[in-house]
Amino acid sequence: MMTDLIKTIDQISRDKGIDRKILINTLEEAIRSAARKRFGSRYDLEVAFNDELGEIEVFQFREVVEEVANPDMEISLEEGRKLDPECELGDSLGTKREMADFGRIAAQSAKQVIIQRMKDAEREIVFEDFKDRKREVINGIVQRFDRAGIVINLGRAEALLPYHEQIPRETYRQGDRIRAYVLDVDRDGRGPQIILSRTHPDFLRSLFEIEVPEVAEGIVQIMHVAREPGSRSKVAVATNDSDIDPVGACVGVKGSRVQAVVQELRGEKIDIVPWSPDPARFICNALAPAEITRVIVDEGNRLMEVIVPDDQLSLAIGKRGQNVRLASKLSGWRIDVTSESRYSKILREGFESLLRLEGLGDGTAEILLKHGFSSAEDVARSSLAELAQLPGLSEEKAEKILESARSLLLAEAVSPTGEDPAVTEDVNAGNRVDELGEPNLTEETIPQVEPQREDKGPDGQ
């Protein structure tokens, strides 16, 4: 007949999902720890679980000797033959010890070992269950709040949503259902070992995979995601199927698909833009609905200067620079936005500075402008080899122009005119930068691009 201990082991194994052998080994280790606590190293003890009797058995082993010097480790031949008539000198005889011999302190120690081993076994099971679920979106229920964040009940496991992974201004109450992204599964950390996030860009990507079948099937690809959680996001999409509009697929009929994502993110506005392998065109798409008239590309510094009509400047930059900041994150390029009037002024002043160089007329100045030398300062910072490669410039003439530019730059540094150099605002860094110091820029005129679809939150803003 099955004893209460066996029933308890089987029930815990079923309820906690812990292997029966692990539970039995835990019990044996706990009793072994209790025995060490009670007797130290004086006794040679062995602990084993008897499955037939349904109990833990503890045996004390002593060596059979002629004369006993240590009663804890030795037994006389006469006493030994009372236990086993066939024993001989040098044999090791085991006698069963009662559990009551261990005392209260030893029993408490055994209990602590059992509790700790049970927790370790549960943590290992949780790790094995969730280690392959990283980067998935899962559902849970808000269980409690602590100093580290919100503890989420996932059923057989608990997860932590840290405060820095929560969308700003989101509030929850105990019992609320929540959806989040599995950021990490930690085997060794204390407390909940599943870390969740609602601010990670891949959370937004995963939500589109759930809501848009074309994304889940790989027909439409999400190339890049840039987020300012709780405020605005930009998503760049592309497809190899010419019959599918990737932006339209993500937006859905009457915006149904993107609105499902917006509602999950509590009203975060989402701009879906077409991706392009051409960085200049891609940035024009990312900055839409602002109209772009010209883009100046500096590939070496991954910098683009975007020229927009004067009335489009605030639209391109966005509120507190958000639009251009997100476009920069999305593309991986630094973006400077300049109005047409300021850019024209910079070009005019730069051209005038070129005309001040000795031996340089309108034709040569236009050649320099065409090849990226927009001012005398650009020329002064170049090398003789660079100038001599330009069409219509001999090495002698290039050397003369270079010396003139450097002399002019030195003279202006020594005797400043008191006028401010042409400057523009760097909307990414919040600084003001000298606009005359970017050599070797190439200029492209960008054709009109389709405006991005801008999907707003439930409030329509």
Side-chain angles (χ1 to χ4, degrees), residues 240-252:
N240 293 325
D241 192 333
S242 58
D243 295 330
I244 292 179
D245 173 17
V247 175
C250 292
V251 172

Side-chain angles (χ1 to χ4, degrees), residues 331-348:
S331 63
W333 286 69
R334 182 177 166 223
I335 303 172
D336 291 343
V337 179
T338 306
S339 66
E340 283 186 335
S341 60
R342 178 169 291 281
Y343 180 67
S344 298
K345 180 182 177 182
I346 293 169
L347 283 183
R348 184 172 61 255

